[in-house]
Amino acid sequence: MTEKKNGTTEFNPPPLYPETFKLFGIEFAPRFIPLERRMQTVATLWWLLSLLLGGLVTSILMAVLFFWTRFWYVPVAYLTWMVYDLDTCNRGGRTGWIVDFVRGWRIWKHYRNFFPVKLIKTAELDRNQNYLLGSHPHGVLCSGAFACFATDGAGFSTLFPGIAPHLL
């Protein structure tokens, strides 16, 4: 508590985390942030970098493998798979154990908790029907929709068993 000149007191709560520090004019995050918050930041950074740089890095890697190494068959196999897989989006998307495995990664729970995102069930949905769900406001990168429908971080498969979501 601090007392002002006019006789009133003002409550100054302690900072949530210890003081930040500056190095070369750049203000860095506090050193003693809980591990859970660090994991949330790493998960969000993983998602953002894979979204922004995934295609570019993969293209450069395939070009390097094809032109400058003896592993030319890796990009050829990848290109063959891409041509074979072109129509997957018209057949309902990918399904199977690998999709469930990636959707269930623990990193997506940390990603969900960074924002935080909640998925609230307001009605029972028949698993034999198709549904079109909207997410608004979605923002530029659609983080909430990604956390709820593209991953199982928000518990979609628990809330709506038997329904397979696909984020468009």
Side-chain angles (χ1 to χ4, degrees), residues 86-151:
L86 263 175
D87 200 40
T88 298
C89 61
N90 298 326
R91 291 182 276 126
R94 289 179 187 81
T95 58
W97 70 271
I98 190 73
V99 173
D100 294 336
F101 173 70
V102 173
R103 283 176 46 85
W105 282 352
R106 178 76 183 146
I107 196 169
W108 303 131
K109 296 205 185 302
H110 294 298
Y111 172 80
R112 176 208 59 202
N113 290 333
F114 180 83
F115 290 105
V117 174
K118 290 183 182 178
L119 182 62
I120 301 171
K121 182 176 183 177
T122 59
E124 286 294 327
L125 298 178
D126 182 12
R127 69 178 68 181
N128 296 322
Q129 299 290 323
N130 291 326
Y131 300 95
L132 180 62
L133 305 174
S135 173
H136 186 78
H138 50 71
V140 175
L141 297 175
C142 304
S143 301
F146 181 82
C148 289
F149 306 121
T151 72

Side-chain angles (χ1 to χ4, degrees), residues 72-82:
W72 59 268
Y73 53 86
V74 173
V76 169
Y78 185 69
L79 184 63
T80 304
W81 174 78
M82 282 180 57

Side-chain angles (χ1 to χ4, degrees), residues 36-53:
E36 177 64 25
R37 186 62 180 172
R38 296 265 189 213
M39 293 299 293
Q40 293 168 4
T41 306
V42 167
T44 305
L45 183 65
W46 166 264
W47 172 75
L48 186 62
L49 289 178
S50 65
L51 180 73
L52 296 177
L53 301 176

Side-chain angles (χ1 to χ4, degrees), residues 12-35:
N12 297 325
L16 186 59
Y17 301 116
E19 294 295 318
T20 59
F21 67 97
K22 285 188 175 185
L23 182 65
F24 302 117
I26 301 171
E27 188 173 351
F28 287 90
R31 289 177 290 243
F32 302 109
I33 292 180
L35 179 63

